[in-house]
């Protein structure tokens, strides 16, 4: 399928590009539809559609193969993330983290807002489903994490203390038992998501510099390694079993290394992108 062959890239020029990551390494298609930069992109489970979230305040649903816009959502608000519900029978549900401090649950079949989740005190940066997709976690500029029951607009857990910082990148592990969060005090912190949602302070990863930058964090497909970009253009690797030790560092970019991704099938290969305008594929 396309998702295994290519990597979607968003750009500040308003374009979305899909690249061949196996054979030619060339741009396969460019999607034009946003008038400003694109903040987030996510595919449906089958890869046939994807959603893009733009700084032009538009959320667009695309047909991956034809490049046509299927639906455009514009509520006049700026969104920072757009996430499909992971269940196959709920692929019409999109969760939008908004600059007005709310999370909006859209039905893409109708374009209507089905639910609003309203407790954050700052812009919502991420929405991450956990616990077999019955719950989700949101992070915000208010430096808190909040846990919600899907479909019920009342938070079931609120995590905040004076030592916490904003967490603009959150990624679950493949097994669905933990999430890693890029904390803007130069740490990657871990929360366990099964049963009781709580921080695992023994799984804190340090050594990189991300203060002020939303550098992406990610897992290896087998969950044995954690990776992160950093503000000095480096890509850091840690072993999950020994979080206090940096396993490897790559000087990947001139300027901020903002995005990092592991190949889902070949664990020796990773991709990085930076503020130098380059995408690099590493073995």
């Amino acid at each position: 399928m396309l998702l295994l062959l290519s990597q979607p890239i968003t750009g500040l020029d308003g374009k979305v590009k899909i690249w061949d990551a196996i054979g030619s390494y060339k741009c396969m298609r460019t999607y034009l539809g946003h008038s400003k930069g694109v903040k987030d992109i996510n595919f449906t489970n089958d890869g046939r559609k994807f959603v893009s979230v733009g700084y032009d305040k538009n959320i667009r649903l695309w047909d991956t193969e034809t490049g046509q816009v299927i639906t455009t959502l514009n509520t006049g608000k700026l969104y920072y993330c757009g996430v499909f519900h992971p269940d196959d029978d709920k692929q019409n549900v999109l969760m939008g983290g908004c600059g007005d401090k709310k999370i909006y649950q859209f039905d893409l079949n109708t374009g209507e807002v089905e639910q609003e989740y309203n407790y954050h005190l700052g812009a919502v940066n991420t929405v991450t489903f956990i616990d077999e997709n019955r719950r989700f976690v949101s992070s915000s500029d208010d430096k808190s994490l909040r846990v919600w029951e899907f479909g019920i607009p009342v938070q079931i857990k609120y995590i905040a203390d004076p030592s916490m910082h904003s967490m603009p990148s959150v990624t679950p592990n493949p097994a669905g038992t933990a999430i890693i969060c890029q904390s803007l005090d130069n740490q990657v912190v871990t929360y366990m998501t099964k049963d009781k949602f709580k921080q695992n302070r023994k799984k804190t990863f340090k050594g990189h510099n991300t203060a002020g930058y939303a550098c992406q964090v990610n897992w290896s497909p087998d969950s044995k390694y954690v990776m992160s970009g950093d503000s000095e253009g480096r890509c850091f690797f840690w072993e999950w079993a020994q979080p206090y030790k940096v396993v490897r560092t790559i000087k990947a970019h001139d300027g901020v290394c903002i995005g990092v991704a592991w190949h889902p099938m070949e664990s020796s290969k990773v991709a990085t992108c930076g503020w130098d305008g380059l995408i690099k594929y590493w073995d």
Side-chain angles (χ1 to χ4, degrees), residues 7-10 13 15-19 27 29-31 41:
Q7 174 67 30
I9 302 293
T10 62
D13 57 2
K15 299 175 182 178
V16 177
K17 295 178 181 286
I18 288 188
W19 302 80
C27 179
R29 183 182 285 276
T30 299
Y31 302 81
I41 181 171

Side-chain angles (χ1 to χ4, degrees), residues 142-196:
D142 65 9
K143 304 180 181 180
S144 74
L145 289 178
R146 297 172 195 256
V147 183
W148 313 77
E149 200 86 37
F150 173 71
I152 302 175
V154 179
Q155 64 185 21
I156 58 176
K157 187 151 192 175
Y158 167 60
I159 299 174
D161 66 60
S163 67
M164 288 178 63
H165 288 68
S166 180
M167 301 180 206
S169 177
V170 177
T171 308
N173 67 346
T177 57
I179 58 173
I180 49 174
C181 311
Q182 185 72 267
S183 179
L184 292 186
D185 59 348
N186 304 323
Q187 299 185 96
V188 176
V189 297
T190 302
Y191 288 85
M192 309 311 293
T193 59
K194 284 292 184 183
D195 301 322
K196 187 177 181 181

Side-chain angles (χ1 to χ4, degrees), residues 48-60:
R48 297 179 185 275
K49 302 173 186 176
F50 69 88
V51 69
S52 59
V53 180
Y55 287 108
D56 58 3
K57 300 183 181 179
N58 288 316
I59 299 175
R60 298 192 187 277

Side-chain angles (χ1 to χ4, degrees), residues 93-95 103-107 112-115 117 150-151:
V93 176
L94 183 77
M95 311 296 286
I103 302 160
Y104 292 89
Q105 179 182 322
F106 292 96
D107 183 342
E112 299 297 321
V113 175
E114 291 189 319
Q115 192 64 267
Y117 304 83
F150 173 71

